[in-house]
Coordinates of all heavy atoms in Angstrom, one line a residue:
D55 N 102.2 21.8 98.8 CA 102.5 22.8 99.8 C 103.2 22.2 101.0 O 102.7 21.4 101.7 CB 101.2 23.5 100.3 CG 101.5 24.7 101.2 OD1 102.6 25.0 101.5 OD2 100.5 25.2 101.7
P56 N 104.5 22.5 101.2 CA 105.3 21.9 102.3 C 105.1 22.7 103.6 O 105.8 22.3 104.6 CB 106.7 22.0 101.8 CG 106.7 23.3 101.0 CD 105.4 23.4 100.4
T57 N 104.3 23.7 103.7 CA 104.3 24.6 104.9 C 103.8 23.8 106.1 O 104.3 24.1 107.2 CB 103.5 25.9 104.7 OG1 102.2 25.5 104.3 CG2 104.2 26.7 103.7
G58 N 102.9 22.9 106.0 CA 102.4 22.2 107.2 C 103.5 21.4 107.8 O 103.6 21.4 109.1
R59 N 104.3 20.7 107.0 CA 105.4 19.9 107.6 C 106.4 20.8 108.2 O 106.9 20.6 109.3 CB 106.0 19.1 106.5 CG 107.0 18.1 107.0 CD 107.6 17.3 105.8 NE 108.6 16.3 106.3 CZ 109.3 15.5 105.4 NH1 109.1 15.7 104.1 NH2 110.1 14.7 105.9
T60 N 106.8 21.9 107.5 CA 107.7 22.9 108.1 C 107.2 23.5 109.4 O 108.0 23.6 110.4 CB 108.1 24.0 107.1 OG1 108.5 23.4 105.8 CG2 109.1 24.9 107.5
R61 N 106.0 23.9 109.4 CA 105.4 24.5 110.6 C 105.4 23.6 111.8 O 105.7 24.0 112.9 CB 103.9 24.9 110.3 CG 103.3 25.7 111.4 CD 101.8 25.9 111.1 NE 101.6 26.7 110.0 CZ 101.0 26.4 108.9 NH1 100.6 25.1 108.7 NH2 100.8 27.2 107.9
S62 N 105.1 22.3 111.5 CA 105.1 21.3 112.6 C 106.5 21.2 113.2 O 106.6 21.1 114.4 CB 104.6 20.0 112.0 OG 104.6 19.0 113.0
R63 N 107.5 21.3 112.4 CA 108.9 21.2 112.9 C 109.3 22.4 113.7 O 109.9 22.3 114.8 CB 109.9 21.0 111.8 CG 109.6 19.6 111.0 CD 110.5 19.5 109.8 NE 111.9 19.2 110.2 CZ 112.9 20.0 109.8 NH1 112.7 21.1 109.0 NH2 114.1 19.7 110.2
W64 N 108.8 23.6 113.3 CA 109.0 24.8 114.1 C 108.3 24.7 115.4 O 108.9 25.0 116.5 CB 108.5 26.0 113.4 CG 109.3 26.6 112.3 CD1 109.0 26.7 110.9 CD2 110.6 27.2 112.4 NE1 110.0 27.3 110.2 CE2 111.0 27.7 111.1 CE3 111.4 27.5 113.5 CZ2 112.2 28.3 110.9 CZ3 112.6 28.1 113.2 CH2 113.0 28.5 112.0
V65 N 107.1 24.2 115.4 CA 106.3 24.1 116.7 C 107.0 23.1 117.6 O 107.1 23.4 118.8 CB 104.9 23.7 116.4 CG1 104.1 23.4 117.6 CG2 104.1 24.9 115.6
K77 N 100.0 26.6 123.7 CA 100.3 27.8 122.9 C 99.5 29.0 123.3 O 99.2 29.9 122.5 CB 100.2 27.5 121.4 CG 101.1 26.4 120.9 CD 100.7 26.0 119.5 CE 101.5 24.7 119.1 NZ 101.2 23.5 120.0
V120 N 98.9 43.7 117.7 CA 99.0 42.4 116.9 C 99.2 42.8 115.4 O 98.5 43.7 114.9 CB 97.8 41.5 117.0 CG1 97.9 40.3 116.1 CG2 97.6 41.1 118.4
V121 N 100.2 42.3 114.8 CA 100.4 42.4 113.3 C 99.8 41.2 112.6 O 100.2 40.1 112.9 CB 101.9 42.5 112.9 CG1 102.0 42.7 111.4 CG2 102.6 43.7 113.7
A122 N 98.8 41.5 111.8 CA 98.0 40.4 111.2 C 98.4 40.2 109.8 O 97.8 40.8 108.9 CB 96.5 40.8 111.3
S123 N 99.5 39.4 109.6 CA 99.9 38.9 108.3 C 101.0 39.8 107.7 O 100.9 41.1 107.8 CB 98.7 38.9 107.3 OG 99.1 38.5 106.0
D124 N 101.9 39.2 107.0 CA 102.9 39.9 106.2 C 103.7 41.0 106.9 O 103.5 42.2 106.6 CB 102.3 40.4 104.9 CG 101.9 39.3 103.9 OD1 102.5 38.2 104.0 OD2 101.1 39.5 103.0
V125 N 104.4 40.5 107.9 CA 105.2 41.5 108.7 C 106.3 42.1 107.9 O 106.6 43.3 108.0 CB 105.8 40.7 109.9 CG1 106.6 41.7 110.8 CG2 104.8 40.0 110.7
A152 N 102.5 38.8 116.5 CA 102.3 38.7 115.1 C 101.9 37.3 114.7 O 102.3 36.3 115.3 CB 103.5 39.2 114.3
I153 N 101.2 37.3 113.5 CA 101.0 36.0 112.8 C 101.6 36.2 111.4 O 101.6 37.3 110.9 CB 99.5 35.6 112.7 CG1 98.7 36.7 112.1 CG2 99.0 35.2 114.1 CD1 97.3 36.2 111.7
P154 N 102.2 35.2 110.9 CA 102.9 35.3 109.6 C 101.9 35.3 108.4 O 100.8 34.7 108.5 CB 103.8 34.1 109.5 CG 103.1 33.1 110.3 CD 102.4 33.8 111.4
G155 N 102.3 36.0 107.4 CA 101.5 36.0 106.1 C 102.3 35.2 105.1 O 103.4 34.6 105.4
N156 N 101.8 35.1 103.9 CA 102.4 34.3 102.9 C 103.8 34.8 102.6 O 104.8 34.1 102.3 CB 101.6 34.2 101.6 CG 101.3 35.6 101.0 OD1 100.9 36.5 101.7 ND2 101.5 35.7 99.7
H157 N 104.0 36.1 102.6 CA 105.4 36.7 102.3 C 106.4 36.3 103.4 O 107.6 36.1 103.1 CB 105.3 38.2 102.2 CG 104.6 38.6 100.9 ND1 105.3 38.9 99.7 CD2 103.3 38.8 100.6 CE1 104.5 39.2 98.8 NE2 103.3 39.1 99.3
D158 N 105.9 36.2 104.7 CA 106.9 35.8 105.7 C 107.3 34.3 105.5 O 108.3 33.9 106.0 CB 106.2 35.9 107.1 CG 105.8 37.4 107.4 OD1 106.7 38.2 107.3 OD2 104.6 37.6 107.6
W159 N 106.5 33.6 104.8 CA 106.8 32.2 104.5 C 107.7 32.0 103.3 O 108.2 30.9 103.1 CB 105.5 31.4 104.3 CG 105.0 30.8 105.5 CD1 103.9 31.2 106.3 CD2 105.4 29.6 106.1 NE1 103.7 30.4 107.3 CE2 104.6 29.3 107.3 CE3 106.4 28.6 105.8 CZ2 104.8 28.2 108.1 CZ3 106.6 27.6 106.7 CH2 105.8 27.4 107.8
Y160 N 108.0 33.0 102.6 CA 108.8 32.8 101.4 C 110.3 32.5 101.7 O 111.0 32.1 100.8 CB 108.8 34.1 100.5 CG 107.5 34.3 99.8 CD1 107.1 35.6 99.4 CD2 106.6 33.2 99.5 CE1 105.9 35.8 98.7 CE2 105.4 33.4 98.9 CZ 105.0 34.7 98.5 OH 103.8 34.9 97.9
D162 N 110.7 30.3 104.4 CA 110.4 29.2 105.3 C 110.2 29.7 106.7 O 110.5 28.9 107.6 CB 111.5 28.2 105.2 CG 111.5 27.4 103.8 OD1 110.5 27.5 103.1 OD2 112.6 26.9 103.5
L163 N 109.8 30.9 106.9 CA 109.5 31.5 108.2 C 110.7 31.7 109.1 O 110.6 32.0 110.3 CB 108.5 30.6 109.0 CG 107.4 31.3 109.8 CD1 106.5 32.1 108.9 CD2 106.5 30.2 110.5
N164 N 111.9 31.7 108.5 CA 113.1 31.8 109.3 C 113.2 33.2 110.0 O 113.5 33.2 111.2 CB 114.4 31.6 108.4 CG 114.7 30.2 108.1 OD1 113.8 29.3 108.2 ND2 115.9 29.9 107.9
F166 N 110.8 35.4 110.7 CA 109.7 35.5 111.6 C 109.9 34.7 112.9 O 109.8 35.3 114.0 CB 108.4 35.0 111.0 CG 107.1 35.1 111.9 CD1 106.3 36.2 111.7 CD2 106.8 34.2 112.8 CE1 105.2 36.4 112.5 CE2 105.7 34.3 113.6 CZ 104.9 35.4 113.5
M167 N 110.3 33.5 112.8 CA 110.6 32.7 114.0 C 111.8 33.2 114.8 O 111.8 33.1 116.1 CB 110.8 31.2 113.6 CG 109.5 30.6 113.1 SD 108.2 30.5 114.2 CE 108.8 29.3 115.5
C171 N 110.0 34.4 118.1 CA 110.0 33.2 118.9 C 111.5 32.9 119.4 O 111.7 32.0 120.1 CB 109.5 32.0 118.2 SG 107.8 32.2 117.6
Q222 N 106.6 34.6 121.6 CA 105.5 33.8 121.2 C 105.8 32.3 121.3 O 106.9 31.9 121.1 CB 105.1 34.1 119.8 CG 104.6 35.6 119.6 CD 104.2 35.9 118.2 OE1 104.0 37.0 117.8 NE2 104.1 34.9 117.3
P223 N 104.8 31.5 121.6 CA 105.0 30.0 121.6 C 105.1 29.4 120.2 O 105.5 28.3 120.1 CB 103.7 29.5 122.3 CG 102.7 30.6 122.1 CD 103.4 31.9 122.0
G224 N 104.9 30.2 119.1 CA 105.0 29.7 117.8 C 104.4 30.6 116.8 O 104.0 31.7 117.1
P225 N 104.2 30.2 115.5 CA 103.6 31.0 114.5 C 102.1 31.2 114.7 O 101.5 32.0 114.1 CB 104.0 30.4 113.2 CG 104.1 28.9 113.6 CD 104.7 28.9 115.0
Y226 N 101.5 30.3 115.5 CA 100.1 30.4 115.9 C 100.0 30.3 117.4 O 100.8 29.7 118.0 CB 99.2 29.4 115.1 CG 99.5 28.0 115.3 CD1 98.9 27.2 116.4 CD2 100.4 27.3 114.5 CE1 99.2 25.9 116.5 CE2 100.7 26.0 114.6 CZ 100.1 25.2 115.6 OH 100.4 23.9 115.8
W227 N 99.0 31.0 118.0 CA 99.0 31.2 119.4 C 97.6 31.6 119.8 O 96.7 32.0 119.0 CB 100.0 32.2 119.8 CG 100.1 33.4 118.9 CD1 101.1 33.7 118.0 CD2 99.2 34.5 118.8 NE1 100.8 34.8 117.3 CE2 99.6 35.4 117.8 CE3 98.0 34.8 119.5 CZ2 99.0 36.6 117.5 CZ3 97.3 36.0 119.1 CH2 97.8 36.9 118.1
A228 N 97.4 31.7 121.1 CA 96.2 32.3 121.7 C 96.6 33.2 122.8 O 97.6 32.9 123.5 CB 95.2 31.2 122.2
I237 N 92.8 34.6 119.3 CA 93.4 33.5 118.7 C 94.0 33.8 117.3 O 93.3 34.3 116.5 CB 92.4 32.3 118.6 CG1 91.9 31.9 119.9 CG2 93.1 31.1 117.8 CD1 90.8 30.9 119.9
G238 N 95.3 33.6 117.2 CA 96.0 33.9 115.9 C 96.4 32.7 115.2 O 97.0 31.8 115.8
I239 N 96.0 32.5 113.9 CA 96.3 31.3 113.2 C 97.2 31.7 112.0 O 97.2 32.8 111.4 CB 95.0 30.6 112.7 CG1 94.2 31.5 111.8 CG2 94.2 30.1 113.8 CD1 93.1 30.7 111.1
D240 N 98.0 30.7 111.6 CA 99.0 30.8 110.5 C 98.5 30.1 109.3 O 98.4 28.9 109.3 CB 100.3 30.3 111.0 CG 101.4 30.1 109.9 OD1 101.2 30.7 108.8 OD2 102.3 29.3 110.1
T241 N 98.1 30.9 108.3 CA 97.5 30.3 107.1 C 98.6 30.0 106.0 O 98.2 29.7 104.8 CB 96.4 31.2 106.5 OG1 96.9 32.5 106.3 CG2 95.2 31.2 107.5
G242 N 99.8 30.2 106.3 CA 100.9 29.7 105.4 C 101.0 30.4 104.1 O 100.6 31.6 103.9
L243 N 101.4 29.6 103.1 CA 101.6 30.2 101.7 C 100.3 30.3 100.9 O 100.1 31.2 100.1 CB 102.5 29.2 100.9 CG 104.0 29.4 101.2 CD1 104.8 28.2 100.5 CD2 104.6 30.7 100.7
L244 N 99.4 29.3 101.2 CA 98.2 29.2 100.3 C 96.9 29.5 101.0 O 95.8 29.2 100.4 CB 98.2 27.8 99.7 CG 99.4 27.4 98.8 CD1 99.2 26.0 98.2 CD2 99.7 28.4 97.7
G245 N 96.9 30.0 102.2 CA 95.6 30.4 102.8 C 94.9 29.2 103.4 O 93.7 29.2 103.4
T246 N 95.6 28.2 103.9 CA 95.0 27.0 104.5 C 95.8 26.7 105.8 O 96.8 27.3 106.0 CB 95.1 25.8 103.6 OG1 96.4 25.4 103.4 CG2 94.4 26.1 102.2
I247 N 95.2 25.8 106.6 CA 95.9 25.4 107.8 C 96.0 23.9 107.8 O 95.1 23.2 107.3 CB 95.3 25.9 109.1 CG1 93.9 25.4 109.4 CG2 95.2 27.5 109.1 CD1 93.4 25.8 110.8
D248 N 97.1 23.4 108.4 CA 97.3 21.9 108.4 C 96.5 21.3 109.5 O 95.9 21.9 110.4 CB 98.8 21.7 108.7 CG 99.3 22.3 110.0 OD1 99.6 23.5 110.0 OD2 99.3 21.5 111.0
A249 N 96.4 20.0 109.5 CA 95.6 19.2 110.4 C 96.0 19.4 111.8 O 95.1 19.5 112.7 CB 95.6 17.7 110.0
E250 N 97.3 19.5 112.1 CA 97.8 19.6 113.5 C 97.3 21.0 114.0 O 96.8 21.1 115.2 CB 99.3 19.6 113.5 CG 99.9 19.8 114.9 CD 101.4 19.7 114.8 OE1 102.0 18.8 114.1 OE2 102.1 20.6 115.4
Q251 N 97.4 22.0 113.3 CA 96.9 23.4 113.7 C 95.4 23.4 113.8 O 94.9 24.0 114.7 CB 97.4 24.5 112.8 CG 97.1 25.9 113.2 CD 97.5 27.0 112.3 OE1 97.3 28.1 112.5 NE2 98.2 26.6 111.2
G252 N 94.8 22.6 112.9 CA 93.3 22.5 113.0 C 92.8 21.9 114.3 O 91.8 22.4 114.9
W254 N 94.5 21.9 117.1 CA 94.7 22.9 118.2 C 93.7 24.0 118.2 O 93.2 24.4 119.2 CB 96.1 23.5 118.0 CG 96.4 24.7 118.8 CD1 96.8 24.7 120.1 CD2 96.1 26.1 118.4 NE1 96.9 26.0 120.5 CE2 96.5 26.9 119.5 CE3 95.7 26.7 117.3 CZ2 96.4 28.2 119.5 CZ3 95.6 28.1 117.3 CH2 96.0 28.8 118.4
L255 N 93.3 24.5 117.0 CA 92.3 25.5 116.9 C 91.0 25.1 117.5 O 90.3 25.8 118.2 CB 92.1 26.0 115.4 CG 91.1 27.0 115.2 CD1 91.4 28.3 115.9 CD2 91.0 27.3 113.7
V258 N 91.4 25.1 121.4 CA 91.5 26.4 122.1 C 90.2 27.2 121.9 O 90.0 28.2 122.6 CB 92.7 27.2 121.7 CG1 94.0 26.5 122.1 CG2 92.7 27.6 120.2
L267 N 89.2 36.0 116.4 CA 90.2 35.3 115.6 C 91.0 36.4 114.8 O 90.4 37.3 114.3 CB 89.5 34.4 114.6 CG 90.4 33.6 113.7 CD1 91.1 32.5 114.4 CD2 89.6 33.0 112.5
I268 N 92.3 36.2 114.8 CA 93.2 36.9 113.9 C 93.8 36.0 112.9 O 94.4 35.0 113.3 CB 94.3 37.6 114.7 CG1 93.8 38.4 115.9 CG2 95.1 38.5 113.8 CD1 93.0 39.7 115.5
T269 N 93.6 36.2 111.6 CA 94.0 35.3 110.6 C 94.8 36.0 109.5 O 94.4 37.1 109.1 CB 92.8 34.5 110.0 OG1 93.2 33.7 108.9 CG2 91.7 35.4 109.7
G270 N 95.7 35.3 108.9 CA 96.4 35.8 107.7 C 95.6 35.9 106.4 O 96.0 36.5 105.5
S271 N 94.5 35.2 106.4 CA 93.6 35.1 105.2 C 92.2 35.4 105.6 O 91.6 34.6 106.4 CB 93.7 33.8 104.5 OG 95.0 33.5 104.1
P272 N 91.6 36.6 105.2 CA 90.3 36.9 105.7 C 89.2 35.9 105.2 O 89.3 35.4 104.1 CB 90.0 38.3 105.1 CG 91.0 38.4 104.0 CD 92.2 37.6 104.3
C282 N 88.4 29.1 104.5 CA 89.7 28.6 104.9 C 89.7 27.1 105.2 O 89.4 26.7 106.4 CB 90.3 29.4 106.1 SG 92.0 29.0 106.5
P283 N 90.1 26.3 104.3 CA 90.1 24.8 104.5 C 91.1 24.4 105.5 O 92.2 25.0 105.7 CB 90.4 24.2 103.1 CG 90.4 25.4 102.2 CD 90.5 26.6 102.9
I284 N 90.8 23.3 106.2 CA 91.7 22.7 107.2 C 92.0 21.3 106.6 O 91.1 20.5 106.2 CB 91.0 22.5 108.6 CG1 90.7 23.8 109.2 CG2 92.0 21.7 109.5 CD1 89.9 23.7 110.4
D285 N 93.3 21.0 106.5 CA 93.7 19.7 106.0 C 93.0 18.6 106.8 O 93.1 18.6 108.0 CB 95.2 19.5 106.1 CG 96.0 20.4 105.0 OD1 95.3 20.9 104.2 OD2 97.2 20.5 105.2
V290 N 88.0 26.7 108.9 CA 88.2 27.6 110.0 C 86.8 28.3 110.3 O 86.4 28.5 111.5 CB 89.3 28.7 109.7 CG1 89.2 29.8 110.7 CG2 90.6 28.0 109.6
I305 N 89.2 38.7 112.3 CA 89.9 39.8 111.6 C 91.1 39.2 110.8 O 91.9 38.5 111.3 CB 90.5 40.8 112.6 CG1 89.4 41.4 113.5 CG2 91.3 41.9 112.0 CD1 89.9 42.2 114.7
G306 N 91.1 39.5 109.5 CA 92.1 39.0 108.6 C 93.0 40.0 107.9 O 92.5 41.1 107.6
G307 N 94.2 39.7 107.6 CA 95.1 40.6 106.9 C 95.1 40.1 105.4 O 94.1 39.6 104.9

Side-chain angles (χ1 to χ4, degrees):
D55 185 2
T57 55
R59 187 179 182 186
T60 305
R61 184 188 295 118
S62 180
R63 298 174 73 237
W64 280 117
V65 169
K77 302 168 188 62
V120 177
V121 180
S123 181
D124 290 338
V125 183
I153 56 169
N156 58 312
H157 288 266
D158 300 303
W159 268 101
Y160 289 156
D162 292 340
L163 219 60
N164 280 26
F166 182 96
M167 293 298 292
C171 302
Q222 297 181 188
Y226 57 92
W227 41 257
I237 298 174
I239 60 172
D240 169 18
T241 55
L243 283 170
L244 301 182
T246 63
I247 67 173
D248 58 276
E250 179 182 314
Q251 186 180 178
W254 169 85
L255 178 60
V258 296
L267 182 74
I268 309 288
T269 168
S271 299
C282 187
I284 300 172
D285 289 350
V290 169
I305 303 171

